[in-house]
Amino acid sequence: MNKEIVKSAFVQQYGATDVAVFASPGRINLIGEHTDYNGGFVFPGAIDKGITAAIKLNGSDRVRAYAIDLNERAEFGLREEDAPAQSWARYIFGICRELIKRGLVVGGFDTAFTGDVPLGAGMSSSAALESTYAFALNRLFDGRIDKFELARAGQATEHNYCGVKCGIMDQFASLFGQAGSLILLDCRSLEYRYFPFRPQGYRLVLLDTLVKHELASSAYNRRRQSCEAVVAAIQKRHPEVEFLRDATFEMLAEVSAEVSAEDYHRAEYVIGEVARVMAVCDALERGDYETVGQKMYETHDGMSRLYEVSCEELDFLNAIARESGVTGSRVMGGGFGGCTINLVKDALYEPFVRTAKAKYLARYGKEPKVYDVVISDGARELGITN
Ligand code: GLA
């Protein structure tokens, strides 16, 4: 369906046919939050929602882009000084620039895109946009850039053109996703393993608070700075520690007088979270979903109390999950709003969703949005249409 939407919008905007269509998804993350930029492990999977784009080379050195959902247009060149003003266009421009830096000869193109990943809901709509264009331009300009480097180009786009010092989880999941499998990713080495995830008797469901935190990017960057400050303190005694992933609670305790209480708590959360990912991995191998769920609750507590990236609405939904006997629940993604991810027994699904909707409505005057998780394939070409 999205393929038809982008194709007809493209024809209407640019009057040309024979367009190539590409798509790349958003992601969920079972566990391992704020561990990626700490060199740790994450456990994401691509979802059945993402960005779809129609693209055709135009033989010039300019890009003409149309954001269908916003009904906005942008036109820009490909030199560093040509950065467009609209934030959505900066993602496309950033990808062009990062691919050029990696040796790809990028020329002008026309494009129209649409998306069905909710914006600001913690499902990585921006990574879906970056990965769509990274994957597509590499194909269309006969590039030899591998998917690891395409993911890095997406991450660098966030760093250099969008002001978010993110890790690599989202772009990696969007490019490497595989239907029915989560990805256990080591964010230092980028070694990864597909982990079939078809829990018998359980479902994953997202509840969207509909809260979008305005200061999310600066708050996110400050979390990263806290982690780096603690690593710098630990390195004085333990030079082998490259990331918080390498640190232990004992090492953290040694530097308690040298770092701020806030930074201490941030690092305490991360060190615990790195270990929780491994515990969840082991539990999944045993089919032990109770442990998986318990770790999810522990993550929520840490993100709320120590890392302080939750918000009242997320805590409210998490508490409802606990009261309803849901196996696991936690804030998903960067935080400050967006969704909780819930591991729910089949039999509990209906009553839980009903209760959560009713209580949230009574408290906040609106129902949370509900998304069933369908773990899907990563970036792909949908073919040429005419
Ligand atoms: C955002 C970032 C990711 C990651 C998560 C938190 O989604 O883009 O790199 O840090 O937050 O786990």
Side-chain angles (χ1 to χ4, degrees):
M1 202 183 83
N2 287 343
K3 188 174 171 185
E4 291 312 310
I5 293 173
V6 291
K7 193 201 136 191
S8 66
F10 189 96
V11 173
Q12 187 210 334
Q13 286 296 308
Y14 310 109
T17 52
D18 297 337
V19 289
V21 179
F22 294 84
S24 203
R27 60 108 190 88
I28 53 132
N29 186 26
L30 184 64
I31 199 151
E33 226 60 272
H34 292 274
T35 46
D36 57 357
Y37 54 85
N38 286 300
F41 295 87
V42 291
F43 220 152
I47 54 175
D48 60 340
K49 296 175 178 41
I51 298 286
T52 306
I55 309 181
K56 186 168 183 169
L57 308 190
N58 61 22
S60 79
D61 58 359
R62 295 191 68 76
V63 176
R64 294 190 294 174
Y66 177 49
I68 298 169
D69 310 319
L70 300 169
N71 191 25
E72 278 182 24
R73 287 159 203 81
E75 185 173 335
F76 50 86
L78 292 163
R79 294 164 310 172
E80 195 63 24
E81 57 271 29
D82 295 329
Q86 296 103 312
S87 55
W88 61 266
R90 292 182 73 88
Y91 291 104
I92 303 174
F93 173 77
I95 284 295
C96 293
R97 291 297 309 158
E98 291 299 334
L99 296 181
I100 290 168
K101 290 176 201 169
R102 285 161 176 77
L104 192 71
V105 182
V106 178
F109 57 92
D110 297 333
T111 181
F113 72 92
T114 185
D116 55 9
V117 212
L119 300 179
M123 289 183 234
S124 297
S125 48
S126 59
L129 184 56
E130 291 147 13
S131 301
T132 301
Y133 284 95
F135 186 83
L137 297 178
N138 188 47
R139 276 270 171 95
L140 294 171
F141 291 104
D142 292 324
R144 299 279 147 80
I145 304 176
D146 67 26
K147 283 206 281 184
F148 295 96
E149 203 52 39
L150 293 180
R152 289 195 190 94
Q155 182 190 21
T157 294
E158 296 274 355
H159 288 204
N160 300 330
Y161 299 94
C162 309
V164 182
K165 301 288 179 193
C166 66
I168 200 157
M169 167 169 72
D170 304 350
Q171 293 77 10
F172 195 95
S174 186
L175 284 157
F176 284 81
Q178 193 175 80
S181 289
L182 297 176
I183 310 167
L184 178 65
L185 171 66
D186 177 335
C187 296
R188 170 158 44 203
S189 65
L190 294 192
E191 278 168 33
Y192 67 103
R193 174 151 79 95
Y194 289 113
F195 223 96
F197 187 76
R198 293 191 181 86
Q200 293 297 309
Y202 293 84
R203 289 165 74 164
L204 279 179
V205 60
L206 308 181
L207 295 185
D208 187 351
T209 59
L210 304 174
V211 174
K212 299 178 199 324
H213 199 287
E214 305 228 316
L215 299 173
S217 55
S218 54
Y220 181 96
N221 294 345
R222 283 202 302 279
R223 297 299 180 283
R224 187 170 183 151
Q225 282 163 8
S226 290
C227 295
E228 286 166 2
V230 174
V231 167
I234 292 176
Q235 275 173 341
K236 290 183 198 148
R237 293 186 176 78
H238 303 280
E240 73 281 8
V241 170
E242 187 189 2
F243 291 108
L244 277 183
R245 177 243 179 103
D246 307 313
T248 61
F249 288 119
E250 292 71 34
M251 292 177 185
L252 178 61
E254 286 169 7
V255 298
S256 63
E258 292 153 46
V259 300
S260 71
E262 187 175 277
D263 289 355
Y264 187 95
H265 287 136
R266 306 292 191 242
E268 191 182 348
Y269 161 75
V270 171
I271 294 171
E273 183 71 353
V274 171
R276 276 190 289 274
V277 183
M278 299 332 282
V280 161
C281 193
D282 289 347
L284 280 180
E285 308 253 28
R286 299 192 303 270
D288 173 3
Y289 293 101
E290 292 306 314
T291 299
V292 173
Q294 186 196 323
K295 295 292 162 193
M296 291 169 75
Y297 280 116
E298 287 174 20
T299 295
H300 186 88
D301 285 345
M303 287 178 83
S304 182
R305 287 183 308 103
L306 299 172
Y307 218 61
E308 295 183 282
V309 293
S310 187
C311 64
E312 191 196 306
E313 291 85 347
L314 286 164
D315 290 346
F316 185 76
L317 285 179
N318 183 259
I320 294 172
R322 268 186 202 273
E323 288 157 20
S324 309
V326 166
T327 306
S329 175
R330 65 177 195 80
V331 43
M332 189 183 76
F336 310 107
C339 294
T340 58
I341 179 168
N342 303 274
L343 180 65
V344 193
K345 284 205 174 102
D346 285 341
L348 250 177
Y349 177 86
E350 286 292 343
F352 166 56
V353 169
R354 202 176 342 108
T355 308
K357 278 185 172 175
K359 289 194 169 169
Y360 199 80
L361 177 66
R363 176 74 169 259
Y364 298 109
K366 57 189 170 192
E367 286 187 352
K369 277 230 166 108
V370 180
Y371 302 105
D372 290 314
V373 173
V374 181
I375 300 173
S376 307
D377 284 330
R380 58 206 178 273
E381 180 166 1
L382 301 180
I384 308 270
T385 69
N386 45 46

